[in-house]
Amino acid sequence: MKNRIKILRAEHDLTQAKLAKRLNVSRQTINAIEKGKFDPSLPLAFKLSHLFEKTIEEIFEAEN
C-alpha cells in the first residue's frame, strides 16, 4: 500500500519519533508504514487521518 505519510510528516515538521509518540506507536512502526512494509490497523489509519486532517484515501492508496 502506498502512502503519503513521509510527505505529510515533513509538512507538519514531525520526525518519525515525534509522530510515533503522538500516535502511541514505536518509531519503527512509522518507518515500516512509510516504507510500505507494514499496513496500519484501521484505528491507526483513523488516527493518522485525524492528525493530518486528511481522509484515509488522501493518505493511503491501494496498489493494483
Side-chain angles (χ1 to χ4, degrees), residues 3-62:
N3 67 73
R4 300 185 56 236
I5 294 174
K6 186 173 183 177
I7 295 165
L8 292 168
R9 188 169 53 73
E11 289 175 357
H12 288 79
D13 196 28
L14 290 169
T15 63
Q16 286 184 343
K18 286 181 182 176
L19 179 59
K21 186 173 182 176
R22 291 181 71 171
L23 297 172
N24 200 27
V25 298
S26 69
R27 186 198 58 77
Q28 290 82 4
T29 297
I30 300 301
N31 185 52
I33 294 170
E34 285 185 1
K35 293 183 179 285
K37 294 180 178 177
F38 175 75
D39 291 334
S41 66
L42 190 54
L44 182 54
F46 273 107
K47 285 182 182 179
L48 286 161
S49 173
H50 180 75
L51 181 83
F52 291 128
E53 298 180 340
K54 301 284 184 191
T55 65
I56 290 176
E57 292 83 3
E58 289 174 316
I59 300 173
F60 297 97
E61 179 182 334

